[in-house]
Amino acid sequence: MAGDEGWASSCPALLENLSLLSPQQIELAKMLLKEGQKHLFDDWSGADVDVEKKKAFFYQVALLDSSYPGGLASYIQNAKKLLADSKAGKNPFDGFTPSVPSGEVLTFGDENFMKLEEAGVKEARHAIFVLVAGGLGERLGYKGIKLALPVETTTGKCFLQHYIESILALQEASAKLAQDELLAKIPLVIMTSDDTHARTIELLDSNSYFGMESSQVKLLKQEKVACLSDNDARLALDPNDKYKIQTKPHGHGDVHALLYSSGLLEQWKEAGRRWVLFFQDTNGLLFKAIPASLGVSATKGYNVNSLAVPRKAKEAIGGITKLTHADGRTMVINVEYNQLDPLLRATGHPDGDVNDPETGFSPCPGNINQLILELGPYIEELKKTGGAIAEFVNPKYTDSTKTAFKSSTRLECMMQDYPKTLPPSSKVGFTVMDTWLAYAPVKNNPEDAAKVPKGNPYHSATSGEMAIYRANSLILRKAGVTIAEPVKDVFNGQEVEVWPRVTWSPKWALIFKDVKEKVNNKCSITEKSTLVVNGRHVALNGLNLDGTLNINAVDGAEVKLSGVVLNKGWSLEHIDYKDNSFPEEIRIRGFKIEKVERFEVN
Ligand SMILES: O=c1ccn([C@@H]2O[C@H](COP(=O)(O)OP(=O)(O)O[C@H]3O[C@H](CO)[C@H](O)[C@H](O)[C@H]3O)[C@@H](O)[C@H]2O)c(=O)[nH]1
């Protein structure tokens, strides 16, 4: 042993192992002791035992250090502060009074909406899409990755395929509208985590990137953060491995730091890109809302535009709220669903998060976490913050003394908290659209979904699929097609409306104008019907459908469908989510499609 080892004298177990450490590891060890983490080494054995495990320990510490803005020391310091605030019961919105902000409220299909859609499609060639898909989906409990789940089971297309096909259709429509000879490829970034990374790559690889060029897709993997075992922010060790620090996900807010450190944003700015659109893993309706909301960003010049839908009180989506501080500062920001009720109660609304009796909705619009950021100002802001996002901690205490936790906790951050650090001059707005058009996530397992209070959305695989059929039916209806009324049915304990099972590929119709142009002459569709349109130039011209019709047309083919199509069609058969004889992605819906008879046009 050589050199000055006095710094380690308080920790004999570490002192004994110093000879194993590289100079960089010595620095990390010094940092850990300085930040009150001596306990990590207390049970270390002598220098000649567990050598590989000790190396792995420092490898992990180095990773935790390099993947957090400011390093592990900052993480521990931030944790100490946030844990002290939490213990003191400090309200994160102290001094702020909430009120209902005003934003753009759009009505599907009216003149304004259609203009915005066109503006949005035109802008799309300057866009970058960022999909945050590192979440495990604990509430859903599905054993695969959520991106691989079918959006609906009529076609069986999974979320990732649907997203990619939508981006490709936008890319093409945008180039066409802008009469751009050069077809600008729209980049897609996918944020993954250790829980989802390998399976996301496998899904892309085994499906040839669903038609996208592989160079268009960039994967950024987020790392987990260290767990904390007490109010002094002592890092928690794995109960089964004394050389391993327990880790948990840090939240979707990581996406900003990852994008910043990737260097991609600057490259894209130089290439003339203007918008970054963030979205989540399971919203099959989202791309129906994208063109118009991008149109809002472009025409209003918003630096930040969040998509929102009317929110039911206590629905598990944050409320977009205007916060006014006693000192005059204001900001329009998401208040997360678990914080909205206490904030309202603390500021003169004794009933907390309740519906407005007149509208039947919470007064604050619900954030669906689809954010559109203007690239230039986004880069400027990230240069200041390095992409660090305001964090929070949510320990579950054993009792009211708040001295011990039931299980280890960690700091978390959310991507929608990005505007919190923006200067007051930033243009922060939001766009509200109908839920039926814009939002149908798949988050809850059947058992929990069935317990959702009546009238609130289930956010399940069942409701997510039914929402696709409803939206497509309503859009066709608005375009003049006679669509039968839905019937009510109960699947996995959830009562839903069953509309005709109408689906189309994004290249058939991306915006309402496309639908209107392709549907003519009094078409009708009965409730038991299924319509699948897969092709570009397919016109429904006086079509009367009572059964199942599948249309597959290659890009160059012009197909015109008219007259009566009548057959036994496809029906929905009830199945139970506990019935293991069906694959999980089917039984979580509570039904399977019985394909009795169809008419197919190829
Ligand atoms: O560490 C993480 C955690 C989550 N995600 C991803 O982030 C997205 C959102 O995760 P959740 O579905 O778990 O999010 P929540 O339901 O908790 O809430 C979020 O989505 C809601 C709308 O769906 C509301 O907007 C809410 O305010 C917002 O925080 C998903 O695509 C998920 O894969 C990550 O990439 N990394």
Side-chain angles (χ1 to χ4, degrees), residues 179 190-191 233 344 449 455 460 512 552:
Q179 296 184 323
I190 307 177
M191 180 171 81
L344 289 166
S460 67
F512 187 48
N552 298 302

Side-chain angles (χ1 to χ4, degrees), residues 132 134-135 139 222 251-252 280-281 318 336-337 367 416 439 443:
V132 290
R139 278 177 285 160
Q222 63 176 149
H252 35 70
Q280 304 196 149
D281 50 17
E336 197 57 342
Y337 45 91
N367 163 45
Q416 66 269 35
Y439 187 55
K443 305 210 191 206

Side-chain angles (χ1 to χ4, degrees), residues 18-89:
L18 285 185
S19 59
L20 296 176
L21 308 190
S22 69
Q24 189 217 3
Q25 290 170 339
I26 298 267
E27 291 311 309
L28 290 171
K30 281 183 182 170
M31 177 273 292
L32 287 172
L33 291 193
K34 184 162 169 267
E35 298 302 332
Q37 306 296 329
K38 168 180 166 294
H39 68 283
L40 294 174
F41 304 102
D42 282 350
D43 289 335
W44 277 34
S45 44
D48 45 351
V49 186
D50 293 337
V51 175
E52 287 309 310
K53 289 192 159 191
K54 289 169 186 165
K55 274 191 196 154
F57 171 86
F58 273 102
Y59 177 77
Q60 185 193 19
V61 171
L63 185 64
L64 291 169
D65 189 56
S66 64
S67 54
Y68 186 83
L72 189 54
S74 294
Y75 179 77
I76 297 165
Q77 288 155 17
N78 292 342
K80 280 183 189 159
K81 195 182 160 301
L82 286 166
L83 285 164
D85 288 351
S86 169
K87 187 173 183 208

Side-chain angles (χ1 to χ4, degrees), residues 274-292:
R274 234 179 275 159
W275 308 103
V276 193
L277 292 92
F278 294 86
F279 65 116
Q280 304 196 149
D281 50 17
T282 61
N283 181 7
L285 292 179
L286 180 71
F287 277 84
K288 297 189 187 301
I290 293 268

Side-chain angles (χ1 to χ4, degrees), residues 353-597:
D353 182 14
V354 288
N355 289 323
D356 175 336
E358 251 170 54
T359 61
F361 287 98
S362 153
C364 292
N367 163 45
I368 64 169
N369 247 12
Q370 154 68 55
L371 311 175
I372 305 179
L373 305 187
E374 192 183 350
L375 180 58
Y378 180 46
I379 292 178
E380 289 315 306
E381 180 65 14
L382 293 188
K383 277 185 192 157
K384 285 186 240 156
T385 62
I389 294 298
E391 293 167 302
F392 60 96
V393 69
N394 192 12
K396 308 278 181 290
Y397 299 105
T398 49
D399 59 37
S400 58
T401 63
K402 294 190 175 178
T403 40
F405 307 159
K406 284 185 185 156
S407 62
S408 65
T409 186
R410 85 290 197 181
L411 301 191
E412 295 175 75
C413 63
M414 302 190 292
M415 68 171 170
Q416 66 269 35
D417 279 341
Y418 163 75
K420 280 189 173 167
T421 55
L422 289 176
S425 58
S426 296
K427 284 191 82 175
V428 181
F430 62 94
T431 305
V432 186
M433 280 186 224
D434 285 321
T435 307
W436 68 262
L437 181 70
Y439 187 55
V442 178
K443 305 210 191 206
N444 289 327
N445 63 56
E447 205 171 329
D448 292 340
K451 291 185 208 145
V452 165
K454 205 172 159 52
N456 273 27
Y458 299 115
H459 296 174
S460 67
T462 313
S463 61
E465 175 156 356
M466 290 301 159
I468 306 296
Y469 306 140
R470 178 179 52 191
N472 289 338
S473 295
L474 288 173
I475 292 170
L476 286 187
R477 192 183 258 182
K478 179 92 184 164
V481 179
T482 303
I483 301 272
E485 282 301 311
V487 296
K488 291 223 160 102
D489 205 338
V490 178
F491 301 103
N492 282 343
Q494 304 154 54
E495 187 184 84
V496 289
E497 283 183 356
V498 183
W499 289 78
R501 273 71 67 204
V502 177
T503 73
W504 59 74
S505 55
K507 65 182 167 190
W508 183 67
L510 204 53
I511 56 176
F512 187 48
K513 181 167 170 268
D514 301 335
V515 178
K516 282 179 87 167
E517 281 171 5
K518 289 174 176 172
V519 173
N520 297 298
N521 276 337
K522 295 206 167 104
C523 298
S524 68
I525 300 178
T526 61
E527 194 283 323
K528 73 160 216 221
S529 293
T530 298
L531 172 67
V532 180
V533 184
N534 193 5
R536 197 179 306 270
H537 304 293
V538 177
L540 308 183
N541 202 326
L543 172 75
N544 299 110
L545 176 62
D546 185 20
T548 294
L549 172 61
N550 290 9
I551 308 151
N552 298 302
V554 290
D555 283 356
E558 300 258 350
V559 181
K560 202 181 237 187
L561 287 148
S562 53
V564 177
V565 174
L566 173 69
N567 57 45
K568 293 201 187 88
W570 293 357
S571 57
L572 302 185
E573 280 217 353
H574 290 80
I575 55 177
D576 190 86
Y577 71 93
K578 290 188 200 124
D579 186 346
N580 286 326
S581 61
F582 295 99
E584 190 181 3
E585 56 274 20
I586 298 299
R587 60 190 157 86
I588 56 174
R589 287 156 214 276
F591 59 84
K592 91 180 235 297
I593 296 181
E594 199 56 54
K595 301 186 171 176
V596 185
E597 196 186 356

